[in-house]
Short mmCIF file of all heavy atoms in Angstrom, two decimals:
data_model
loop_
_atom_site.label_atom_id
_atom_site.label_comp_id
_atom_site.label_asym_id
_atom_site.label_seq_id
_atom_site.Cartn_x
_atom_site.Cartn_y
_atom_site.Cartn_z
N PRO B 80 -38.31 -3.97 -29.38
CA PRO B 80 -38.63 -4.12 -30.86
C PRO B 80 -39.54 -5.27 -31.04
O PRO B 80 -40.25 -5.32 -32.04
CB PRO B 80 -37.14 -4.47 -31.33
CG PRO B 80 -36.26 -3.97 -30.34
CD PRO B 80 -36.91 -3.89 -29.00
N ALA B 178 -27.87 -0.40 -20.85
CA ALA B 178 -28.77 -0.54 -21.84
C ALA B 178 -29.04 0.81 -22.52
O ALA B 178 -30.07 1.18 -23.27
CB ALA B 178 -30.15 -1.00 -21.38
N GLY B 179 -27.99 1.68 -22.39
CA GLY B 179 -28.09 2.93 -23.28
C GLY B 179 -28.71 4.19 -22.48
O GLY B 179 -29.13 5.05 -23.17
N VAL B 181 -31.55 4.72 -21.05
CA VAL B 181 -32.85 5.13 -21.58
C VAL B 181 -33.54 6.10 -20.67
O VAL B 181 -33.50 5.91 -19.46
CB VAL B 181 -33.81 3.90 -21.62
CG1 VAL B 181 -35.24 4.14 -22.01
CG2 VAL B 181 -33.22 2.67 -22.54
N ASN B 223 -19.86 5.50 -28.89
CA ASN B 223 -20.07 4.12 -29.34
C ASN B 223 -21.37 4.22 -30.19
O ASN B 223 -22.41 4.93 -29.87
CB ASN B 223 -20.31 3.24 -28.23
CG ASN B 223 -20.29 1.77 -28.64
OD1 ASN B 223 -19.74 1.48 -29.72
ND2 ASN B 223 -20.90 0.89 -27.92
N CYS B 224 -21.29 3.63 -31.34
CA CYS B 224 -22.56 3.39 -32.07
C CYS B 224 -22.78 1.99 -32.41
O CYS B 224 -21.82 1.26 -32.82
CB CYS B 224 -22.76 4.19 -33.33
SG CYS B 224 -21.24 4.16 -34.32
N TYR B 225 -23.94 1.32 -31.98
CA TYR B 225 -24.11 -0.12 -32.00
C TYR B 225 -25.11 -0.36 -33.12
O TYR B 225 -26.19 0.23 -33.32
CB TYR B 225 -24.77 -0.46 -30.72
CG TYR B 225 -24.62 -1.92 -30.25
CD1 TYR B 225 -23.86 -2.27 -29.24
CD2 TYR B 225 -25.42 -2.97 -30.92
CE1 TYR B 225 -23.74 -3.59 -28.85
CE2 TYR B 225 -25.18 -4.29 -30.50
CZ TYR B 225 -24.40 -4.50 -29.48
OH TYR B 225 -24.22 -5.84 -28.97
N PHE B 226 -24.56 -1.24 -34.05
CA PHE B 226 -25.40 -1.70 -35.18
C PHE B 226 -25.93 -3.12 -34.99
O PHE B 226 -25.33 -3.98 -34.52
CB PHE B 226 -24.48 -1.51 -36.46
CG PHE B 226 -24.08 -0.12 -36.77
CD1 PHE B 226 -23.16 0.54 -36.27
CD2 PHE B 226 -25.05 0.56 -37.71
CE1 PHE B 226 -22.88 1.87 -36.71
CE2 PHE B 226 -24.79 1.86 -38.03
CZ PHE B 226 -23.68 2.56 -37.48
N MET B 227 -27.13 -3.23 -35.77
CA MET B 227 -27.55 -4.60 -35.99
C MET B 227 -27.83 -4.81 -37.40
O MET B 227 -28.42 -3.88 -38.08
CB MET B 227 -28.82 -4.85 -35.20
CG MET B 227 -28.80 -4.68 -33.73
SD MET B 227 -29.97 -5.69 -32.83
CE MET B 227 -29.54 -5.16 -31.09
N VAL B 228 -27.28 -5.79 -37.98
CA VAL B 228 -27.59 -6.12 -39.43
C VAL B 228 -28.25 -7.50 -39.50
O VAL B 228 -27.78 -8.53 -39.04
CB VAL B 228 -26.28 -6.16 -40.12
CG1 VAL B 228 -25.08 -6.87 -39.59
CG2 VAL B 228 -26.46 -6.60 -41.69
N HIS B 327 -19.75 -8.37 -31.96
CA HIS B 327 -20.13 -8.85 -30.57
C HIS B 327 -20.70 -10.26 -30.71
O HIS B 327 -20.57 -11.12 -29.75
CB HIS B 327 -21.07 -7.96 -29.94
CG HIS B 327 -20.65 -6.53 -29.87
ND1 HIS B 327 -19.52 -6.10 -29.13
CD2 HIS B 327 -21.16 -5.39 -30.35
CE1 HIS B 327 -19.38 -4.95 -29.27
NE2 HIS B 327 -20.26 -4.39 -29.99
N ILE B 347 -29.12 -12.00 -36.94
CA ILE B 347 -28.77 -10.72 -36.73
C ILE B 347 -27.45 -10.59 -36.21
O ILE B 347 -27.09 -11.09 -35.15
CB ILE B 347 -29.78 -10.12 -35.61
CG1 ILE B 347 -31.26 -10.25 -35.98
CG2 ILE B 347 -29.50 -8.61 -35.34
CD1 ILE B 347 -32.33 -9.91 -34.93
N GLY B 348 -26.62 -9.96 -37.01
CA GLY B 348 -25.12 -9.67 -36.55
C GLY B 348 -25.18 -8.42 -35.82
O GLY B 348 -25.87 -7.41 -36.04
N LYS B 349 -24.24 -8.35 -34.80
CA LYS B 349 -24.17 -7.17 -33.92
C LYS B 349 -22.70 -6.72 -33.80
O LYS B 349 -21.75 -7.56 -33.46
CB LYS B 349 -24.73 -7.58 -32.41
CG LYS B 349 -26.09 -8.06 -32.52
CD LYS B 349 -26.61 -8.32 -31.23
CE LYS B 349 -28.21 -8.89 -31.36
NZ LYS B 349 -28.80 -9.00 -30.03
N PHE B 350 -22.51 -5.46 -34.09
CA PHE B 350 -21.13 -4.90 -33.96
C PHE B 350 -21.26 -3.41 -33.53
O PHE B 350 -22.46 -2.79 -33.57
CB PHE B 350 -20.41 -5.03 -35.36
CG PHE B 350 -20.96 -4.19 -36.40
CD1 PHE B 350 -20.52 -2.96 -36.70
CD2 PHE B 350 -21.97 -4.71 -37.21
CE1 PHE B 350 -21.07 -2.20 -37.78
CE2 PHE B 350 -22.51 -4.05 -38.38
CZ PHE B 350 -22.08 -2.79 -38.49
N SER B 351 -20.22 -2.88 -33.02
CA SER B 351 -20.28 -1.47 -32.61
C SER B 351 -18.99 -0.78 -32.99
O SER B 351 -17.91 -1.54 -33.10
CB SER B 351 -20.67 -1.34 -31.14
OG SER B 351 -19.67 -1.78 -30.25
N GLU B 364 -23.39 6.51 -39.23
CA GLU B 364 -24.53 5.71 -39.54
C GLU B 364 -24.72 5.57 -41.03
O GLU B 364 -24.86 4.40 -41.59
CB GLU B 364 -25.77 6.36 -38.92
CG GLU B 364 -26.99 5.37 -39.22
CD GLU B 364 -28.24 6.11 -38.50
OE1 GLU B 364 -28.29 7.20 -38.11
OE2 GLU B 364 -29.31 5.23 -38.42
N LYS B 368 -24.13 2.07 -43.25
CA LYS B 368 -25.24 1.46 -43.99
C LYS B 368 -24.81 1.46 -45.54
O LYS B 368 -25.12 0.36 -46.22
CB LYS B 368 -26.53 2.35 -43.85
CG LYS B 368 -27.11 2.09 -42.44
CD LYS B 368 -28.45 2.89 -42.40
CE LYS B 368 -29.11 2.58 -41.15
NZ LYS B 368 -30.32 3.40 -40.84
N VAL B 386 -30.23 -2.93 -41.89
CA VAL B 386 -29.19 -2.43 -41.01
C VAL B 386 -29.93 -1.29 -40.18
O VAL B 386 -30.59 -0.53 -40.67
CB VAL B 386 -28.06 -1.81 -41.75
CG1 VAL B 386 -26.97 -1.46 -40.88
CG2 VAL B 386 -27.47 -2.71 -42.92
N SER B 387 -29.63 -1.47 -38.89
CA SER B 387 -30.14 -0.35 -38.06
C SER B 387 -29.10 0.02 -36.87
O SER B 387 -28.31 -0.78 -36.49
CB SER B 387 -31.48 -0.70 -37.36
OG SER B 387 -31.27 -1.97 -36.68
N MET B 388 -29.00 1.34 -36.71
CA MET B 388 -28.14 1.79 -35.60
C MET B 388 -29.05 1.89 -34.41
O MET B 388 -29.92 2.66 -34.37
CB MET B 388 -27.50 3.12 -35.94
CG MET B 388 -26.36 3.53 -34.93
SD MET B 388 -25.57 5.07 -35.48
CE MET B 388 -26.64 6.29 -34.70
N VAL B 389 -28.75 1.00 -33.37
CA VAL B 389 -29.78 0.99 -32.24
C VAL B 389 -29.32 1.85 -31.08
O VAL B 389 -30.10 1.98 -30.13
CB VAL B 389 -29.96 -0.50 -31.78
CG1 VAL B 389 -30.77 -1.17 -32.93
CG2 VAL B 389 -28.65 -1.25 -31.52
N LEU B 390 -28.05 2.25 -31.05
CA LEU B 390 -27.57 2.99 -30.02
C LEU B 390 -26.50 4.05 -30.62
O LEU B 390 -25.69 3.56 -31.46
CB LEU B 390 -26.81 2.23 -28.96
CG LEU B 390 -27.53 1.73 -27.76
CD1 LEU B 390 -26.36 0.95 -26.90
CD2 LEU B 390 -28.07 2.75 -26.90
N GLY B 391 -26.53 5.32 -30.30
CA GLY B 391 -25.62 6.14 -30.74
C GLY B 391 -25.12 7.12 -29.67
O GLY B 391 -25.99 7.89 -29.20
N LEU B 392 -23.93 7.04 -29.24
CA LEU B 392 -23.30 7.78 -28.12
C LEU B 392 -22.11 8.55 -28.48
O LEU B 392 -21.21 8.04 -29.04
CB LEU B 392 -23.07 6.86 -27.02
CG LEU B 392 -24.12 5.87 -26.55
CD1 LEU B 392 -23.64 4.70 -25.68
CD2 LEU B 392 -25.34 6.62 -25.91
N GLY E 337 -30.71 -7.80 -27.35
CA GLY E 337 -30.06 -6.65 -26.67
C GLY E 337 -28.73 -6.19 -27.21
O GLY E 337 -28.49 -6.61 -28.45
N THR E 338 -28.04 -5.45 -26.42
CA THR E 338 -26.85 -4.77 -27.06
C THR E 338 -25.63 -4.80 -26.14
O THR E 338 -25.20 -3.88 -25.67
CB THR E 338 -27.13 -3.26 -27.23
OG1 THR E 338 -27.69 -2.68 -25.89
CG2 THR E 338 -28.27 -2.95 -28.20
N LYS E 339 -25.22 -6.13 -25.87
CA LYS E 339 -24.03 -6.26 -25.01
C LYS E 339 -22.76 -5.79 -25.77
O LYS E 339 -22.48 -6.28 -26.89
CB LYS E 339 -23.97 -7.71 -24.61
CG LYS E 339 -22.99 -8.01 -23.53
CD LYS E 339 -23.07 -9.47 -23.00
CE LYS E 339 -21.99 -9.72 -21.84
NZ LYS E 339 -22.10 -11.13 -21.42
#
Side-chain angles (χ1 to χ4, degrees):
Chain B
V181 178
N223 195 22
C224 46
Y225 203 107
F226 288 88
M227 300 210 182
V228 48
H327 307 299
I347 303 170
K349 301 181 181 188
F350 65 94
S351 66
E364 181 178 14
K368 286 185 174 176
V386 187
S387 53
M388 188 174 87
V389 292
L390 268 183
L392 308 167
Chain E
T338 56
K339 191 173 180 179

